[in-house]
Each structure stands twice: as structure tokens, then as C-alpha cells.
Amino acid sequence: MLSARAKSIKPSPTLAIDAKAKAMKAQGVDVISFGVGEPDFDTPENIKEAAIKAIRDGFTKYTAVGGIDPLKDAIIEKLFRDNGLRYERKEILVSCGAKHSLYNTMQALLDPGDEVIIPSPYWVSYPEQVVLAGATPVFVQTTEAEQFRLNPEVLSQHITPRTKALILNSPSNPTGLTYDRNTLERIAELALERDFHIISDEIYEKLLYEHTTHTSIASLGEEIKARTIVINGVSKSHAMTGWRIGYAAGPGVLITAMTDIQSQSTSNPASISQKAALEAMTGPQDSVGKMLAEFDKRRRHLVDRLNKIEGVHCLYPTGAFYAFPNTSGLYGLSPDISSSSRLAMHLLERAKVALVPGDAFGDDNYVRLSYATSLEDIERGLLRINEALDRLR
Ligand SMILES: *Cc1c(COP(=O)(O)O)cnc(C)c1O
């Protein structure tokens, strides 16, 4: 019955653990979860009020497919203010979440036979979206020693005449690390020399720690801007994952094609959510800073504690809300713990703690812990992990 396309999609490798964690919770087991990929904070009040007002005002009909002009203008203003990028309305598309923006990009940009370079570890949806567009993902390993930044020399060895695009994600899910300007400049040079596009997923841009700054690769010059599609949204910055608003900024021909694709699939993103996103982008921003300060406290606490576990070491994340510890030193502690997914299953069963195995992101030597959870749960969760591991030593 199923299409070849549907059959080509891999079920998420995290599904087994996720399903088990949910089943345990449903049975009343107190599972502490480090698995979630969304802020635990509530959407700020001013944003909710804007949505309620939209409903009251009857702003509940179809809008322009690519988003209402005031929201596009707020996005244009944001890209100029924060990233030094100049776009026009026809170069902006608002979609149903940044994931949808990425999907539209792949559908409009890729043909069968095209190769898309994905630095590994990677966010789980990139390879699957490339495959759904009929193209081929090409994984390039990055290393902890280089802070999981794509090494331009290693990148150049993987570029072929079929390379159509490279996906960048800084700050990164799952590693929590960020690119520096110098590396981006070298990658941009390669994109111009070897003629490929950059899909730059900047969804965690607002979540940066200590003195880390964010550079959009598109801001490095007009030539690279003309080859880059910038992806961003309000889900992570404003605790709005359920509202489903993301956007793409890029060359007009591509954005037009993406808008046409969107017009034949979802049409406009929800009118009410667009009004909420407009408030998120133009209203007071103090809630963003408060969430960031809280994430920062948790980050330090979690990573300090992880680094005290024998056999585990973890870089300090510079962005997003994930810690990505190397857990390979634990494999072999018992025959039961031979890989990231076996470790995750063991910790779920014995410690009642849920985390995501690194093999889901292309690297079995790691696990991902989200710190979008309370300090108290971080403390309790780490105690449980330590106890479970101590029983094996
Ligand atoms: C959460 C996430 C997204 C998608 O965000 P939505 O706007 O909720 O669709 C995109 N990229 C990465 C890396 C993410 O972690």
C-alpha cells in the first residue's frame, strides 16, 4: 500500500525509549525526563493576550499564504537589527514552524541525485527531509576536539559536483555548541568556490551563554547571502513550540517557489499564531532574558555534575538547551551497556531517567540531555543516574 517515499522514512530511533518512558509515566512511575526538546516555560502573557485579542477581533480567516505583511515586516526588521541582513517582503516566507520552513526549502531546492552535506551529530529531521525530497544526505563527522564545528578541510573532501547544499545549525541541537565567525568565513568561501547553497538553521540564536555571539553566515557578504536560506522562528526563543510559527529568508526565486509549495499544502500558518508571533517579535523582550538566565543556571549545574561522573565528560554548551556528554567511557561497565541506546534503556529502567541516545543524532559515543527542566529535577535525575551507575561499579 505504501509509497516508496513513505517506506524510505526511518522511524525515529528514539521512539522505543520514548514510548517506554511514556508507558512508565502512564503507569504512575515517577520518570524524570531529560528528553524534551522544548522550553518548559509557559508562553509569555503578552503573547497569549495578543492571540486572545486576535480571536476576539475575528482575525480567524485565511491570510496571505506566506504570512501577513506586519509579521513579514517584523521579521525583516529583526533580521536587520540582529543579523545585519537586508531582505524584502518577497524574500520572506512564514510557515507552520521552522521545521516546515526547512521542509519547504528542501522541496523547492532539491532534485533526485542531489547531495546535501549534513555535519554529524545532526538534528534528526535533516536527513529525513532530504530523503523526502529525493536527494541524498552526505554525513560529515565533526569532533568534540573541534567543538563539533565542521572542519573546512574535511568538508572540502566531501564536496562533489552533485553537492547542492550544506545544512548548518548554530547553536546546535544536539551538541549545544556554536560556530565562530572564522569557521563560517571559510565555509562561505567554499560555498562560493564550489557552488553550493547553505541552509542555515538559526532557531536557537537567542539562547547563547557567557560571551558567545551569533553570526549568521548570510551576513558575511552579498554573494554568500544570495546562496543562503536563513531559517528561524519563535518556538525556542519565546517558548512557543505549540503555536507553529517559523520563517525562511532567502533569494526571491526560491522563496516564491516555497510559497507556491506551501499554497498547495498547508496554506497560511494559523492566523491567530501569526498575531501572537508578531507580538513576540515586536513586544517586550524581558521574558527572553529571564528564560535565558534560568537556562544558564541549569546548564552550569547539569554539566558540572555530569563531569563528576567517572567515565563521562561533557563540553560546556555555548548555546541552546542541551548537554551532549561523551558516555563511551561507560560502555562495557556491564554487558547490558554497550551503546548509547543500551545505556539510555538501562537508565530508564534502573534510574527512571529518560535521555536521548546519541545514535539518534549520528554519534553513538554520546547521549543528549535537555535542561529545559527544573533545577530540582536536574538534581534528582543526576542523583538517580549516579546511584544506578554506582551499583555497577
Ligand atoms: C526545535 C527545532 C526546530 C523546529 O522548530 P519549530 O519552529 O518548532 O518547527 C528546527 N531546528 C532545530 C535544530 C530544532 O531543535
Side-chain angles (χ1 to χ4, degrees), residues 37-39 95-102 122-126 168-174 201-204 231-236 240-247 320-322 368:
E38 60 181 340
S95 302
C96 311
K99 187 184 267 186
H100 186 214
S101 305
L102 285 160
Y122 48 79
W123 186 48
V124 289
S125 292
Y126 299 143
L168 286 179
N169 175 217
S170 177
S172 156
N173 177 4
D201 180 352
E202 305 179 13
I203 191 86
Y204 292 102
I231 307 288
N232 210 327
V234 291
S235 289
K236 309 292 163 58
M240 290 179 71
T241 44
W243 299 79
R244 312 309 303 132
I245 297 289
Y247 57 86
F321 43 67
Y322 306 102
R368 190 193 76 176

Side-chain angles (χ1 to χ4, degrees), residues 148-363:
F148 297 109
R149 288 174 188 153
L150 186 58
N151 180 316
E153 259 125 61
V154 179
L155 166 63
S156 75
Q157 290 157 17
H158 288 82
I159 300 166
T160 75
R162 309 196 125 191
T163 303
K164 187 74 187 275
L166 160 70
I167 303 179
L168 286 179
N169 175 217
S170 177
S172 156
N173 177 4
T175 68
L177 288 160
T178 43
Y179 277 73
D180 60 307
R181 193 183 174 95
N182 183 263
T183 306
L184 292 175
E185 278 168 355
R186 293 175 63 200
I187 292 171
E189 272 167 33
L190 278 172
L192 299 182
E193 257 171 52
R194 309 285 295 272
D195 188 24
F196 58 86
H197 300 271
I198 309 265
I199 300 168
S200 182
D201 180 352
E202 305 179 13
I203 191 86
Y204 292 102
E205 175 196 12
K206 294 288 171 201
L207 300 177
L208 295 172
Y209 305 106
E210 292 173 56
H211 303 297
T212 310
T213 52
H214 174 79
T215 304
S216 174
I217 192 165
S219 70
L220 297 177
E222 279 307 314
E223 278 180 303
I224 189 66
K225 177 171 172 262
R227 303 182 155 266
T228 302
I229 304 94
V230 174
I231 307 288
N232 210 327
V234 291
S235 289
K236 309 292 163 58
S237 55
H238 294 80
M240 290 179 71
T241 44
W243 299 79
R244 312 309 303 132
I245 297 289
Y247 57 86
V253 272
L254 185 68
I255 293 291
T256 303
M258 289 164 64
T259 308
D260 291 344
I261 289 167
Q262 181 163 305
S263 79
Q264 301 296 7
S265 49
T266 60
S267 293
N268 61 275
S271 58
I272 300 152
S273 296
Q274 290 188 63
K275 287 284 193 181
L278 178 60
E279 173 63 20
M281 297 189 71
T282 56
Q285 298 297 308
D286 45 316
S287 48
V288 179
K290 277 186 207 145
M291 290 191 262
L292 183 65
E294 192 56 34
F295 280 138
D296 191 21
K297 264 191 261 169
R298 300 166 178 183
R299 174 185 74 105
R300 290 162 195 274
H301 192 71
L302 174 63
V303 179
D304 285 347
R305 294 293 304 268
L306 286 170
N307 278 320
K308 285 190 183 122
I309 302 175
E310 197 187 320
V312 174
H313 58 96
C314 186
L315 293 176
Y316 275 86
T318 50
F321 43 67
Y322 306 102
F324 200 58
N326 187 321
T327 47
S328 59
L330 297 173
Y331 305 164
L333 207 54
S334 98
D336 183 33
I337 304 178
S338 51
S339 65
S340 62
S341 38
R342 299 291 292 263
L343 172 66
M345 196 53 100
H346 182 91
L347 291 176
L348 181 59
E349 286 169 351
R350 307 297 167 87
K352 316 270 183 287
V353 166
L355 41 78
V356 186
D359 63 356
F361 311 105
D363 202 326

Side-chain angles (χ1 to χ4, degrees), residues 6-25:
K7 282 188 223 154
S8 73
I9 293 304
K10 274 191 298 205
S12 164
T14 65
L15 224 60
I17 288 171
D18 198 48
K20 191 168 174 121
K22 289 208 172 95
M24 286 167 71
K25 278 187 198 164

